[in-house]
Amino acid sequence: MTQPFASPGTESGPTTASPAGPQARFVLAGDLARPARLTVSDLLDRPQHAADVSFECATSGVRHHRFTGPLLHEVLADAGPVFDPARRKDRLRFLIAVSGADGHHALLSRAEIDPDFGRAPVLLAVTMDDTPLDRSGPMLVVPQDRCGARHVSGIGTIRVDGGYTTWAAH
């Protein structure tokens, strides 16, 4: 199950053993009531969604894959983002930064994945074409993107940041 988050700012931690071999961990950090270290097994315990995705890859052309995994929105909701629930629009100031083990980064807005706003079905994929991703770690999948640049393999860190509370004109 969910492992408690140990220290801020760390990338993916050590792997854990499973019957299929070691599992990569990733860190869920930032403005959350319950930051954590998670594995693919942790994500498999959540409701699974499937997406058939086609996207353009700059190095290998058009790619077609089937991904399964929980919705990013649901995983973050369980971690308790620290927005003011009495102010409906307060959650719109949050950004989500995702880093992969290979140094690849992607940025999403909370509004983009929120069911009351953009409703983008962004996945934390645990399988790709029926192949488990437990050794490499989950993959961020943004099905609606025409280009696969925001698909991040081997997630090391997902950081939620709501520090944009004041805006000043300069």
Side-chain angles (χ1 to χ4, degrees):
M1 289 309 314
T2 303
Q3 309 253 336
F5 180 70
S7 60
T10 54
E11 291 298 314
S12 61
T15 58
T16 57
S18 77
Q23 285 197 4
R25 290 186 190 176
F26 70 98
V27 174
L28 191 57
D31 294 328
L32 301 168
R34 294 172 296 282
R37 288 184 187 268
L38 301 171
T39 64
V40 168
S41 292
D42 297 323
L43 297 177
L44 284 166
D45 289 340
R46 300 170 180 276
Q48 300 294 296
H49 301 266
D52 293 311
V53 179
S54 295
F55 58 90
E56 291 182 36
C57 178
T59 57
S60 57
V62 177
R63 309 289 301 265
H64 306 278
H65 295 289
R66 180 172 184 77
F67 296 98
T68 61
L71 293 172
L72 174 61
H73 172 265
E74 292 173 355
V75 172
L76 293 179
D78 288 347
V82 292
F83 54 81
D84 181 354
R87 294 178 47 223
R88 183 172 185 231
K89 293 182 182 179
D90 188 48
R91 59 190 148 162
L92 302 183
R93 66 182 165 87
F94 285 75
L95 297 176
I96 304 160
V98 181
S99 299
D102 63 356
H104 185 86
H105 303 284
L107 188 63
L108 298 131
S109 72
R110 172 74 167 65
E112 188 174 357
I113 64 170
D114 190 293
D116 288 337
F117 297 96
R119 289 192 307 233
V122 176
L123 294 179
L124 291 179
V126 295
T127 69
M128 181 172 81
D129 301 326
D130 297 322
T131 301
L133 299 174
D134 51 351
R135 287 192 167 183
S136 60
M139 181 176 187
L140 180 73
V141 176
V142 187
Q144 68 277 13
D145 283 4
R146 183 186 60 81
C147 170
R150 289 198 299 175
H151 291 210
V152 177
S153 300
I155 295 172
T157 304
I158 298 175
R159 181 162 186 80
V160 177
D161 189 347
Y164 306 95
T165 57
T166 59
W167 299 87
H170 296 283

